[in-house]
Amino acid sequence: MCGIVAYIGFQPAAPIIYKCLGKLEYRGYDSCGIAISNRDNITVEKDTKRVAALQFNTLPLDGKIGLGHTRWATCGEPSRANAHPHVDCLHKIAVVHNGNIENFEELRKALVGEGHIFTSETDTEVLPHLIEKYYEGELGQAVTRAIKDIRGSFAIAVICAGEEKVVLAKQKSPLVIGLIDKEYIAASDIAALLDYTDRVMYLEEGDVCNITTVGIELYRNGVLTELTEERIAWKPADTRLGGFSHYMMKEINEQPRVITETLAAFEGVSEKLIGLLDPPENRRTSLLMVGCGTSYHSALVGKYIFEELIGRPVNVELASELNYRANVIADKVALAISQSGETADTLQAVRRIKATGCKMVCITNVEGSQLSRLADLSIYTKAGPEISVASTKTFIAQVALLYAICISHANIDEILKKDLERGLGQIPILIRQFLNEQSNIETLGRYLATFNNVLFVARGINYPVALEGALKLKETSYIHGEGYAAGELKHGPFALLDSNTPAIAIVAHDRTYEAMLTNIREIKTRKAPVIAVVEEGDKEVADLVDIVIEVPHTDPFFSPMLNVVALQLLAYYTALERGCPIDFPRNLAKTVTVE
Ligand code: M6R
């Protein structure tokens, strides 16, 4: 999704802005641009190029104040004209924007009627014209007035020729300011800032802020307010490839460490959380979990875990669906899961759930994210920045946390509790062993790359893993993958099966085992090739299917954490064989900040 950057300080702005934009590329974009202010002039360069190409193909820009933008088209196709920054008629005001202006058509019509000339199809372009309309010699006041006319979501950065300041405003879309000595970089997320600073300030809904080299003047609800400084724990090296050819592979390999660090950090919040989840009046109430995409899949794993171990009912909802229900049905506590903590659908669902009086716990990877600010309690996955659009290490960290929460929450005998804790603690070692020893997935990826459709089937606790495996395959390799509950095949998808549609069966040694064998036989009868992800040494499945991927033995309760790694690798190697841009799939964005 769109990423914005703004710089003000005493160094040439352009190289810093380009570098920060480069760090936002992972969010997904189709065009980019920069505006540099130098005394009475603003120079804008933009195109449908990559950030590095734009920088390489433009003359050096002189000036110590500027804006940058990576655009993920939502309103108007990707083109030079639609790329940001957008400017007013006199080319004195430049704006970058992340978000969605719902009433832009009526605003545009009125502005055109007043003589403003538009040059793009975007919603954003109404902003520089509105600011121009209200400008009376001070940019901050004009921005404050202009945003009163806007309905929708926005994080904006604005500059004006002749004024040595950057003005920021935020409503629903993310915006953070990085502090360096007498220099400031504002950006959509902290990944952009890591090379420059670990000191940040987060803006809240409705904030408007004027930044000069003298300092930050923040207006919250119109009142001048002090911002609090916070520290980022991530390091610049966390965003580098570190010898891997793709972030996805790097992040898959980080999983053992990520689980260990996530579980260690959880110990610090466990008591607080249990206090919230488990007061006597809550024990029989249901727990609502929400998320999108991969985070939704981890919530589904959570449902199986909670219901299996403690019998507490869990309702899992797609945030985007919950947002359009007439009524939100939530009990006392709900849990929102989001890697970025900025997914617009999830944030909106959280607002709706909170409005019912329900307490909100969140699992997120980004401290300071909007989700963590909305939640009553935040639990962090310690995955470090996840750059690849396809989530891997954050999924496993979310799932590890759900296990840890469930085990510490469970009213079970101490010996069983210790056993489960030990079992969970072993998972990083088993994943490391699997990553080191697995030998046939690369070959299998080459084989899978020749098909157009692949079915992923499982039952029980591994059903969400089938959904996640299918999602990983489709987004990285552009092969249609469909995850299905194995027992549902006979209710429709059997019609798809033939020798051109392989099925990937995820088989765990739990109460679903025999039923899975039956389903595999049914699939084989329809001549579909079957690849099974099984526990090592499972002869019975090996004899039945065409190929097996063996994962190390574990308690089947924890099997999703091993099985999903096999499917992540399979998606990776399939995409590699097909020559796909693994880390940055077409049309996708890492952080989805529009609904
Ligand atoms: O940041 P979030 O976890 O809220 O993102 C939600 C989805 O957009 C995300 O999980 C997406 O499905 C994955 N990146 C796909 O691999």
Side-chain angles (χ1 to χ4, degrees), residues 359-377:
K359 291 276 177 216
M360 202 71 224
V361 177
C362 81
I363 292 181
T364 181
N365 196 41
V366 185
E367 294 184 26
S369 58
Q370 301 199 82
L371 179 59
S372 69
R373 284 156 184 277
L374 279 173
D376 296 288
L377 179 69

Side-chain angles (χ1 to χ4, degrees), residues 292-295 338-340 343 389-391 471-472 475 590 592:
C292 299
T294 291
S295 295
S338 169
Q339 174 279 128
S340 60
T343 300
V389 166
S391 297
L471 176 61
K472 287 290 90 89
E475 66 183 330
K590 180 70 183 166
V592 185

Side-chain angles (χ1 to χ4, degrees), residues 63-124:
K64 293 173 184 150
I65 302 171
L67 310 173
H69 192 264
T70 49
R71 175 171 189 255
W72 191 83
T74 51
C75 184
E77 60 171 16
S79 68
R80 188 183 176 285
N82 289 336
H84 301 208
H86 288 287
V87 293
D88 64 326
C89 297
L90 298 176
H91 211 97
K92 293 288 177 197
I93 292 163
V95 179
V96 288
H97 166 223
N98 167 214
N100 186 15
I101 299 174
E102 287 159 11
N103 57 335
F104 82 96
E105 281 181 8
E106 61 193 77
L107 290 171
R108 183 178 169 125
K109 213 164 153 201
L111 286 160
V112 168
E114 290 163 21
H116 291 262
I117 296 165
F118 282 71
T119 56
S120 81
E121 303 158 314
T122 63
D123 54 344
T124 300

